[in-house]
Amino acid sequence: MREKMMTKVQKTEEQWLAELAPEQYHVLREKGTEAPFTGEYDHTFEPGTYRCAGCGAELFRSEAKYDSGCGWPAFYAPAAPEAIDEDTDTTYGMVRTEVTCSNCGGHLGHLFPDGPAPTGIRYCINSAALNLEEE
């Protein structure tokens, strides 16, 4: 598991509030979760690069996206291992692995060990945390 490192983007909460839409702020900065099957990218499969909605860092590529049926965009691998950080999340009486942007520390979602080959991992990511840069 990649542990959380010092993020490269440092902003005040006032700056984040001014720059992000309310749902983006809730997900990225308050570790919120959008309702299942409501996110913009849940059933989007156009070729492109998924970037962090908070800082623009490259996080995932469309080639690694698949329809898991979970209600959120799912990827089997990040664009690069250093694109994300992972940390243990024990909220709601569960033990999960939280996924954050290694560049700005924004909460993206969680990972689960039930994904397809070749990794067997499902990165379950909130649409509000992403911006798709189509090819």
Side-chain angles (χ1 to χ4, degrees):
M1 179 185 320
R2 278 182 41 87
E3 290 301 320
K4 220 173 251 224
M5 306 303 266
M6 182 65 155
T7 58
K8 299 169 187 115
V9 174
Q10 302 286 320
K11 295 182 183 181
T12 66
E13 287 310 301
E14 291 75 25
Q15 288 173 305
W16 286 118
L17 278 165
E19 294 174 17
L20 298 171
E23 186 173 32
Q24 290 174 320
Y25 181 85
H26 176 63
V27 169
L28 288 163
R29 308 316 307 169
E30 299 177 322
K31 300 181 184 228
T33 301
E34 63 200 7
F37 304 104
T38 63
E40 177 180 5
Y41 301 122
D42 183 29
H43 285 98
T44 298
F45 294 96
E46 281 75 18
T49 300
Y50 288 87
R51 297 188 173 277
C52 177
C55 70
E58 182 178 340
L59 299 173
F60 299 95
R61 295 194 183 109
S62 59
E63 296 84 31
K65 190 171 189 297
Y66 69 101
D67 187 1
S68 71
C70 70
W72 293 273
F75 303 86
Y76 62 78
E82 61 274 6
I84 61 163
D85 286 329
E86 301 170 7
D87 200 12
T88 301
D89 174 3
T90 57
T91 58
Y92 306 111
M94 298 180 273
V95 177
R96 301 178 290 173
T97 301
E98 178 189 15
V99 180
T100 58
C101 173
S102 64
N103 196 50
C104 72
H107 171 78
L108 304 173
H110 293 88
L111 69 81
F112 301 94
D114 61 1
T119 64
I121 295 173
R122 171 172 52 101
Y123 290 87
C124 185
I125 307 298
N126 290 283
S127 289
L130 301 171
N131 284 324
L132 173 60
E133 182 180 274
E134 291 187 37
E135 290 179 357

Coordinates of all heavy atoms in Angstrom, one line a residue, residues 9-87:
V9 N 0.3 20.3 -3.7 CA -0.5 21.5 -3.8 C -1.0 21.8 -2.4 O -1.6 21.0 -1.7 CB -1.7 21.2 -4.7 CG1 -2.7 22.4 -4.7 CG2 -1.3 21.0 -6.1
Q10 N -0.7 23.0 -1.9 CA -1.2 23.4 -0.6 C -2.0 24.7 -0.7 O -1.6 25.7 -1.3 CB 0.0 23.8 0.3 CG 1.0 22.6 0.5 CD 0.5 21.6 1.4 OE1 -0.1 21.9 2.4 NE2 0.7 20.3 1.1
K11 N -3.3 24.6 -0.3 CA -4.2 25.7 -0.4 C -5.0 25.8 0.9 O -5.2 24.9 1.6 CB -5.3 25.5 -1.6 CG -4.6 25.5 -2.9 CD -5.7 25.3 -4.0 CE -5.1 25.2 -5.4 NZ -6.1 25.1 -6.4
T12 N -5.5 27.0 1.1 CA -6.3 27.2 2.3 C -7.7 26.7 2.0 O -8.1 26.5 0.9 CB -6.5 28.7 2.7 OG1 -7.2 29.4 1.6 CG2 -5.1 29.3 2.9
E13 N -8.5 26.4 3.1 CA -9.9 26.0 2.9 C -10.7 27.0 2.1 O -11.5 26.7 1.3 CB -10.5 25.7 4.2 CG -10.0 24.4 4.8 CD -10.0 23.2 3.8 OE1 -11.1 22.8 3.3 OE2 -9.0 22.6 3.6
E14 N -10.4 28.3 2.3 CA -11.1 29.4 1.6 C -10.8 29.3 0.1 O -11.7 29.5 -0.7 CB -10.7 30.8 2.2 CG -11.2 31.1 3.6 CD -10.4 30.3 4.7 OE1 -9.2 29.9 4.5 OE2 -11.0 30.1 5.7
Q15 N -9.5 29.0 -0.2 CA -9.2 28.8 -1.7 C -9.9 27.7 -2.3 O -10.5 27.8 -3.4 CB -7.7 28.7 -1.8 CG -6.9 29.9 -1.6 CD -5.4 29.7 -1.6 OE1 -4.9 28.8 -0.8 NE2 -4.7 30.4 -2.4
W16 N -10.0 26.5 -1.6 CA -10.7 25.3 -2.1 C -12.2 25.7 -2.3 O -12.7 25.3 -3.3 CB -10.5 24.2 -1.1 CG -9.2 23.5 -1.2 CD1 -8.3 23.4 -0.1 CD2 -8.5 22.8 -2.3 NE1 -7.2 22.7 -0.5 CE2 -7.3 22.4 -1.8 CE3 -8.9 22.6 -3.6 CZ2 -6.4 21.7 -2.7 CZ3 -8.0 22.0 -4.4 CH2 -6.8 21.5 -4.0
L17 N -12.8 26.3 -1.3 CA -14.2 26.7 -1.4 C -14.5 27.6 -2.6 O -15.5 27.4 -3.2 CB -14.6 27.4 -0.1 CG -15.0 26.5 1.1 CD1 -15.1 27.3 2.4 CD2 -16.3 25.7 0.8
A18 N -13.6 28.5 -2.8 CA -13.8 29.4 -4.0 C -13.6 28.7 -5.3 O -14.2 29.1 -6.3 CB -12.8 30.6 -3.8
E19 N -12.7 27.7 -5.4 CA -12.4 27.1 -6.7 C -13.2 25.9 -7.0 O -13.4 25.5 -8.2 CB -10.9 26.6 -6.6 CG -10.0 27.8 -6.6 CD -8.5 27.4 -6.4 OE1 -8.2 26.2 -6.7 OE2 -7.7 28.2 -6.0
L20 N -13.8 25.2 -6.0 CA -14.5 24.0 -6.3 C -16.1 24.2 -6.2 O -16.5 25.0 -5.4 CB -14.1 22.9 -5.3 CG -12.7 22.5 -5.3 CD1 -12.4 21.5 -4.2 CD2 -12.3 21.8 -6.7
A21 N -16.8 23.4 -7.0 CA -18.3 23.4 -6.9 C -18.6 22.7 -5.6 O -17.8 22.0 -5.1 CB -18.8 22.6 -8.1
P22 N -19.8 23.0 -5.0 CA -20.1 22.4 -3.7 C -19.9 20.9 -3.6 O -19.4 20.4 -2.6 CB -21.6 22.8 -3.5 CG -21.7 24.1 -4.3 CD -20.8 23.9 -5.5
E23 N -20.4 20.1 -4.6 CA -20.2 18.7 -4.5 C -18.8 18.3 -4.6 O -18.3 17.4 -3.9 CB -21.0 18.0 -5.6 CG -21.0 16.5 -5.4 CD -21.9 15.7 -6.3 OE1 -22.2 16.1 -7.4 OE2 -22.4 14.6 -5.8
Q24 N -18.0 19.0 -5.5 CA -16.6 18.7 -5.6 C -15.9 18.9 -4.2 O -15.1 18.1 -3.8 CB -15.9 19.6 -6.7 CG -16.3 19.2 -8.1 CD -15.7 20.2 -9.0 OE1 -15.7 21.4 -8.8 NE2 -15.3 19.7 -10.2
Y25 N -16.2 20.0 -3.6 CA -15.6 20.4 -2.3 C -16.0 19.3 -1.3 O -15.1 18.8 -0.5 CB -16.1 21.8 -1.8 CG -15.5 22.1 -0.5 CD1 -14.2 22.7 -0.4 CD2 -16.1 21.9 0.7 CE1 -13.6 23.0 0.8 CE2 -15.5 22.2 1.9 CZ -14.3 22.7 2.0 OH -13.7 23.0 3.2
H26 N -17.2 18.9 -1.2 CA -17.7 17.9 -0.3 C -16.9 16.6 -0.5 O -16.5 16.0 0.5 CB -19.2 17.7 -0.4 CG -19.7 16.6 0.4 ND1 -19.7 16.6 1.8 CD2 -20.3 15.4 0.1 CE1 -20.2 15.5 2.3 NE2 -20.6 14.8 1.3
V27 N -16.8 16.1 -1.7 CA -16.0 14.9 -2.0 C -14.6 15.0 -1.7 O -14.0 14.3 -1.0 CB -16.3 14.4 -3.4 CG1 -15.4 13.2 -3.8 CG2 -17.8 13.9 -3.5
L28 N -13.9 16.0 -2.4 CA -12.5 16.1 -2.4 C -11.9 16.6 -1.0 O -10.9 16.1 -0.6 CB -12.0 17.1 -3.4 CG -12.1 16.6 -4.9 CD1 -12.0 17.8 -5.8 CD2 -11.0 15.6 -5.2
R29 N -12.6 17.5 -0.3 CA -12.0 18.1 0.9 C -12.6 17.6 2.2 O -12.0 17.6 3.2 CB -12.1 19.6 0.8 CG -11.6 20.3 -0.4 CD -10.2 19.8 -1.0 NE -9.1 19.8 0.0 CZ -8.0 19.2 -0.2 NH1 -7.7 18.6 -1.3 NH2 -7.0 19.3 0.7
E30 N -13.9 17.1 2.1 CA -14.6 16.6 3.3 C -14.8 15.1 3.3 O -15.5 14.5 4.1 CB -16.0 17.3 3.4 CG -15.9 18.8 3.6 CD -17.2 19.4 3.7 OE1 -18.2 19.0 2.9 OE2 -17.4 20.4 4.4
K31 N -14.1 14.4 2.3 CA -14.2 13.0 2.1 C -15.6 12.5 2.0 O -16.0 11.4 2.5 CB -13.5 12.3 3.3 CG -12.0 12.7 3.4 CD -11.3 12.0 4.5 CE -9.9 12.5 4.6 NZ -8.9 11.4 4.7
G32 N -16.4 13.2 1.3 CA -17.8 12.8 1.0 C -17.9 11.8 -0.1 O -16.9 11.4 -0.7
T33 N -19.1 11.3 -0.3 CA -19.4 10.4 -1.4 C -20.7 10.8 -2.1 O -21.7 11.1 -1.4 CB -19.6 8.9 -0.8 OG1 -18.4 8.6 -0.1 CG2 -19.9 7.9 -1.9
E34 N -20.6 10.8 -3.4 CA -21.8 11.1 -4.2 C -22.7 9.9 -4.1 O -22.3 8.8 -3.9 CB -21.5 11.5 -5.6 CG -20.8 10.4 -6.4 CD -20.0 10.9 -7.6 OE1 -19.9 12.1 -7.8 OE2 -19.6 10.0 -8.4
A35 N -24.0 10.1 -4.4 CA -25.0 9.0 -4.4 C -24.6 8.0 -5.5 O -24.2 8.5 -6.6 CB -26.4 9.5 -4.5
P36 N -24.8 6.7 -5.3 CA -24.5 5.8 -6.4 C -25.4 6.0 -7.6 O -26.5 6.5 -7.5 CB -24.8 4.4 -5.8 CG -25.6 4.7 -4.6 CD -25.3 6.1 -4.1
F37 N -24.8 5.8 -8.8 CA -25.5 5.9 -10.1 C -25.9 7.3 -10.5 O -26.7 7.5 -11.4 CB -26.7 4.9 -10.2 CG -26.4 3.5 -9.9 CD1 -26.7 3.0 -8.6 CD2 -25.7 2.7 -10.8 CE1 -26.3 1.6 -8.3 CE2 -25.4 1.4 -10.5 CZ -25.7 0.9 -9.3
T38 N -25.3 8.3 -9.8 CA -25.7 9.7 -10.1 C -24.5 10.5 -10.7 O -24.7 11.6 -11.2 CB -26.1 10.5 -8.8 OG1 -25.0 10.5 -7.9 CG2 -27.3 9.8 -8.2
G39 N -23.3 10.0 -10.6 CA -22.1 10.7 -11.1 C -22.0 10.8 -12.6 O -22.5 9.9 -13.3
E40 N -21.5 11.9 -13.1 CA -21.3 12.2 -14.5 C -20.6 11.1 -15.3 O -20.9 10.8 -16.4 CB -20.6 13.5 -14.6 CG -20.3 13.9 -16.1 CD -19.6 15.2 -16.2 OE1 -19.2 15.8 -15.1 OE2 -19.3 15.7 -17.3
Y41 N -19.6 10.4 -14.6 CA -18.7 9.5 -15.3 C -19.0 8.0 -15.0 O -18.3 7.1 -15.5 CB -17.3 9.8 -15.0 CG -16.9 11.2 -15.4 CD1 -16.4 12.0 -14.4 CD2 -17.0 11.6 -16.7 CE1 -16.0 13.3 -14.8 CE2 -16.6 12.9 -17.1 CZ -16.1 13.8 -16.1 OH -15.8 15.0 -16.4
D42 N -20.1 7.7 -14.3 CA -20.4 6.3 -14.0 C -20.5 5.5 -15.3 O -20.0 4.4 -15.3 CB -21.8 6.2 -13.2 CG -22.1 4.8 -12.8 OD1 -21.2 4.0 -12.6 OD2 -23.3 4.5 -12.6
H43 N -21.2 6.0 -16.3 CA -21.4 5.2 -17.5 C -20.8 5.9 -18.7 O -21.3 5.9 -19.8 CB -22.8 4.9 -17.8 CG -23.3 3.8 -16.9 ND1 -24.0 4.0 -15.7 CD2 -23.2 2.4 -17.0 CE1 -24.3 2.9 -15.1 NE2 -23.8 1.9 -15.8
T44 N -19.6 6.6 -18.5 CA -18.9 7.3 -19.6 C -17.7 6.4 -19.9 O -17.0 6.0 -19.0 CB -18.4 8.7 -19.1 OG1 -19.6 9.4 -18.8 CG2 -17.6 9.3 -20.1
F45 N -17.6 6.1 -21.2 CA -16.4 5.3 -21.7 C -15.7 5.9 -22.9 O -15.0 5.1 -23.6 CB -16.9 3.9 -22.0 CG -17.4 3.2 -20.7 CD1 -18.8 3.2 -20.4 CD2 -16.5 2.6 -19.8 CE1 -19.2 2.6 -19.2 CE2 -17.0 2.0 -18.7 CZ -18.3 2.0 -18.3
E46 N -15.8 7.2 -23.0 CA -15.0 7.8 -24.1 C -13.5 7.8 -23.8 O -13.1 7.8 -22.6 CB -15.4 9.3 -24.3 CG -16.7 9.5 -25.0 CD -17.9 9.2 -24.2 OE1 -17.8 9.1 -22.9 OE2 -19.0 8.9 -24.8
P47 N -12.7 7.6 -24.8 CA -11.2 7.6 -24.6 C -10.7 8.9 -24.0 O -11.2 10.0 -24.4 CB -10.6 7.4 -26.0 CG -11.8 7.2 -26.9 CD -13.0 7.5 -26.2
G48 N -9.8 8.8 -23.1 CA -9.3 10.1 -22.5 C -8.6 9.8 -21.2 O -8.4 8.7 -20.8
T49 N -8.2 10.9 -20.5 CA -7.5 10.9 -19.3 C -8.4 11.5 -18.2 O -9.0 12.6 -18.4 CB -6.2 11.7 -19.4 OG1 -5.4 11.1 -20.4 CG2 -5.5 11.7 -18.1
Y50 N -8.5 10.8 -17.1 CA -9.3 11.3 -15.9 C -8.3 12.1 -15.0 O -7.3 11.5 -14.6 CB -10.0 10.2 -15.2 CG -11.1 9.6 -16.0 CD1 -10.9 8.6 -16.9 CD2 -12.4 10.1 -15.8 CE1 -12.0 8.1 -17.6 CE2 -13.5 9.6 -16.5 CZ -13.3 8.6 -17.4 OH -14.3 8.1 -18.2
R51 N -8.6 13.4 -14.8 CA -7.7 14.2 -14.0 C -8.4 14.6 -12.7 O -9.7 14.6 -12.6 CB -7.4 15.5 -14.8 CG -6.6 15.2 -16.0 CD -6.0 16.4 -16.7 NE -5.1 16.1 -17.8 CZ -3.8 15.7 -17.6 NH1 -3.3 15.8 -16.4 NH2 -3.1 15.4 -18.7
C52 N -7.7 15.0 -11.7 CA -8.2 15.4 -10.4 C -9.0 16.7 -10.6 O -8.4 17.6 -11.2 CB -7.1 15.6 -9.4 SG -7.6 16.2 -7.8
A53 N -10.2 16.8 -10.2 CA -11.0 18.0 -10.3 C -10.5 19.1 -9.4 O -10.8 20.2 -9.6 CB -12.5 17.7 -9.9
G54 N -9.6 18.7 -8.4 CA -9.0 19.7 -7.5 C -7.8 20.4 -8.0 O -7.6 21.6 -7.8
C55 N -6.9 19.6 -8.7 CA -5.6 20.2 -9.1 C -5.2 19.9 -10.6 O -4.2 20.4 -11.0 CB -4.5 19.7 -8.2 SG -4.2 17.9 -8.4
G56 N -6.0 19.0 -11.3 CA -5.7 18.7 -12.6 C -4.7 17.6 -12.9 O -4.3 17.3 -14.0
A57 N -4.2 17.0 -11.8 CA -3.2 15.9 -11.9 C -3.8 14.7 -12.7 O -5.0 14.4 -12.5 CB -2.7 15.4 -10.6
E58 N -3.0 14.0 -13.5 CA -3.5 12.8 -14.2 C -3.6 11.7 -13.2 O -2.7 11.3 -12.5 CB -2.5 12.4 -15.3 CG -2.9 11.2 -16.1 CD -2.0 10.9 -17.2 OE1 -1.2 11.7 -17.6 OE2 -2.0 9.7 -17.6
L59 N -4.8 11.1 -13.1 CA -5.1 10.0 -12.1 C -5.4 8.7 -12.8 O -4.8 7.7 -12.3 CB -6.3 10.4 -11.3 CG -6.2 11.7 -10.4 CD1 -7.5 12.0 -9.8 CD2 -5.1 11.5 -9.4
F60 N -6.3 8.6 -13.8 CA -6.7 7.4 -14.4 C -6.8 7.6 -15.9 O -7.0 8.7 -16.4 CB -8.0 6.9 -13.8 CG -8.0 6.6 -12.4 CD1 -8.4 7.6 -11.5 CD2 -7.6 5.4 -11.9 CE1 -8.4 7.3 -10.1 CE2 -7.6 5.1 -10.5 CZ -8.0 6.1 -9.6
R61 N -6.7 6.5 -16.6 CA -6.9 6.5 -18.1 C -8.1 5.7 -18.5 O -8.4 4.7 -17.8 CB -5.6 6.0 -18.8 CG -4.4 6.9 -18.6 CD -3.3 6.5 -19.5 NE -2.1 7.4 -19.2 CZ -1.0 7.0 -18.7 NH1 -0.9 5.7 -18.4 NH2 0.0 7.8 -18.4
S62 N -8.7 6.0 -19.5 CA -10.0 5.3 -19.9 C -9.7 3.9 -20.2 O -10.6 3.1 -20.1 CB -10.6 6.0 -21.1 OG -9.7 6.0 -22.2
E63 N -8.5 3.5 -20.6 CA -8.2 2.1 -20.9 C -8.4 1.2 -19.7 O -8.7 0.0 -19.8 CB -6.8 1.9 -21.4 CG -6.5 2.6 -22.8 CD -6.2 4.1 -22.6 OE1 -5.6 4.5 -21.6 OE2 -6.5 4.8 -23.5
A64 N -8.3 1.8 -18.5 CA -8.4 1.0 -17.2 C -9.8 1.1 -16.6 O -10.0 0.6 -15.6 CB -7.3 1.5 -16.2
K65 N -10.7 1.8 -17.3 CA -12.1 2.0 -16.8 C -12.9 0.8 -17.2 O -12.8 0.3 -18.4 CB -12.6 3.3 -17.3 CG -13.9 3.7 -16.6 CD -14.3 5.1 -17.0 CE -15.5 5.6 -16.2 NZ -16.7 4.9 -16.3
Y66 N -13.8 0.4 -16.4 CA -14.7 -0.7 -16.7 C -16.1 -0.5 -16.0 O -16.1 0.3 -15.0 CB -14.1 -2.1 -16.4 CG -14.0 -2.4 -14.9 CD1 -14.9 -3.2 -14.3 CD2 -12.9 -1.8 -14.2 CE1 -14.7 -3.5 -12.9 CE2 -12.8 -2.1 -12.9 CZ -13.7 -2.9 -12.2 OH -13.5 -3.2 -10.9
D67 N -17.1 -1.2 -16.4 CA -18.4 -1.1 -15.8 C -18.5 -2.2 -14.7 O -18.8 -3.3 -15.0 CB -19.5 -1.3 -16.8 CG -20.9 -1.0 -16.2 OD1 -21.0 -0.7 -15.0 OD2 -21.9 -1.1 -17.0
S68 N -18.3 -1.8 -13.5 CA -18.4 -2.7 -12.3 C -19.8 -3.0 -11.8 O -20.0 -3.9 -11.1 CB -17.5 -2.3 -11.2 OG -18.1 -1.1 -10.6
G69 N -20.7 -2.0 -12.2 CA -22.0 -2.1 -11.7 C -22.2 -1.6 -10.3 O -23.3 -1.7 -9.7
C70 N -21.1 -1.0 -9.7 CA -21.2 -0.5 -8.3 C -21.8 0.9 -8.2 O -22.1 1.2 -7.0 CB -19.8 -0.5 -7.8 SG -18.7 0.8 -8.4
G71 N -22.0 1.6 -9.3 CA -22.7 2.9 -9.2 C -21.7 4.1 -9.2 O -22.2 5.2 -9.2
W72 N -20.4 3.8 -9.3 CA -19.4 4.8 -9.4 C -18.4 4.4 -10.5 O -18.3 3.2 -10.8 CB -18.6 5.0 -8.1 CG -19.4 5.5 -6.9 CD1 -19.7 6.9 -6.6 CD2 -20.2 4.8 -6.0 NE1 -20.5 7.0 -5.5 CE2 -20.8 5.7 -5.1 CE3 -20.4 3.4 -5.7 CZ2 -21.6 5.3 -4.0 CZ3 -21.1 3.0 -4.6 CH2 -21.7 4.0 -3.8
P73 N -17.7 5.4 -11.0 CA -16.7 5.0 -12.0 C -15.7 4.0 -11.4 O -15.3 4.2 -10.2 CB -16.0 6.3 -12.3 CG -17.0 7.4 -12.0 CD -17.8 6.8 -10.9
A74 N -15.3 3.0 -12.1 CA -14.4 2.0 -11.6 C -13.2 1.8 -12.5 O -13.4 1.8 -13.8 CB -15.1 0.7 -11.4
F75 N -12.1 1.7 -12.0 CA -10.8 1.5 -12.7 C -10.0 0.4 -12.1 O -10.1 0.2 -10.9 CB -10.0 2.8 -12.7 CG -10.6 4.0 -13.1 CD1 -11.4 4.8 -12.3 CD2 -10.5 4.5 -14.4 CE1 -12.1 5.9 -12.7 CE2 -11.1 5.6 -14.9 CZ -11.9 6.4 -14.0
Y76 N -9.3 -0.4 -12.9 CA -8.5 -1.4 -12.3 C -7.1 -1.0 -12.0 O -6.3 -1.8 -11.4 CB -8.5 -2.7 -13.2 CG -8.0 -2.6 -14.6 CD1 -6.6 -2.6 -14.8 CD2 -8.8 -2.5 -15.7 CE1 -6.1 -2.5 -16.1 CE2 -8.3 -2.5 -17.0 CZ -7.0 -2.4 -17.2 OH -6.5 -2.3 -18.4
A77 N -6.7 0.2 -12.4 CA -5.3 0.7 -12.1 C -5.3 2.2 -12.3 O -6.0 2.7 -13.1 CB -4.3 0.0 -13.1
P78 N -4.4 2.9 -11.5 CA -4.2 4.3 -11.8 C -3.3 4.5 -13.0 O -2.7 3.6 -13.5 CB -3.5 4.8 -10.5 CG -2.8 3.5 -10.0 CD -3.6 2.4 -10.4
A79 N -3.3 5.8 -13.4 CA -2.5 6.1 -14.6 C -1.0 5.8 -14.3 O -0.3 5.4 -15.2 CB -2.6 7.6 -15.0
A80 N -0.6 6.0 -13.1 CA 0.8 5.7 -12.6 C 0.7 5.5 -11.1 O -0.1 6.1 -10.4 CB 1.7 6.9 -12.9
P81 N 1.5 4.6 -10.6 CA 1.5 4.3 -9.1 C 1.6 5.5 -8.3 O 1.0 5.6 -7.2 CB 2.6 3.3 -8.9 CG 2.9 2.7 -10.2 CD 2.5 3.8 -11.3
E82 N 2.4 6.5 -8.7 CA 2.6 7.7 -7.9 C 1.5 8.7 -8.0 O 1.5 9.7 -7.3 CB 4.0 8.3 -8.2 CG 4.1 8.8 -9.7 CD 4.6 7.7 -10.6 OE1 4.7 6.5 -10.2 OE2 4.8 8.0 -11.8
A83 N 0.5 8.5 -8.9 CA -0.6 9.4 -9.0 C -1.5 9.4 -7.8 O -2.2 10.5 -7.6 CB -1.4 9.0 -10.3
I84 N -1.6 8.3 -7.1 CA -2.5 8.2 -5.9 C -1.8 7.8 -4.7 O -0.7 7.3 -4.7 CB -3.6 7.2 -6.2 CG1 -3.1 5.8 -6.5 CG2 -4.5 7.7 -7.4 CD1 -4.1 4.7 -6.3
D85 N -2.4 8.1 -3.6 CA -1.9 7.7 -2.3 C -3.1 6.8 -1.7 O -4.2 7.0 -2.0 CB -1.6 8.8 -1.3 CG -0.3 9.5 -1.7 OD1 0.6 8.9 -2.2 OD2 -0.2 10.7 -1.4
E86 N -2.7 5.9 -0.8 CA -3.7 5.0 -0.2 C -3.5 5.1 1.3 O -2.4 5.3 1.8 CB -3.5 3.6 -0.6 CG -3.6 3.4 -2.1 CD -3.2 2.0 -2.6 OE1 -2.9 1.1 -1.7 OE2 -3.1 1.8 -3.8
D87 N -4.6 5.1 2.1 CA -4.6 5.2 3.5 C -5.7 4.3 4.1 O -6.7 4.1 3.4 CB -4.7 6.6 4.0 CG -4.2 6.9 5.4 OD1 -3.6 6.0 5.9 OD2 -4.5 8.0 5.9

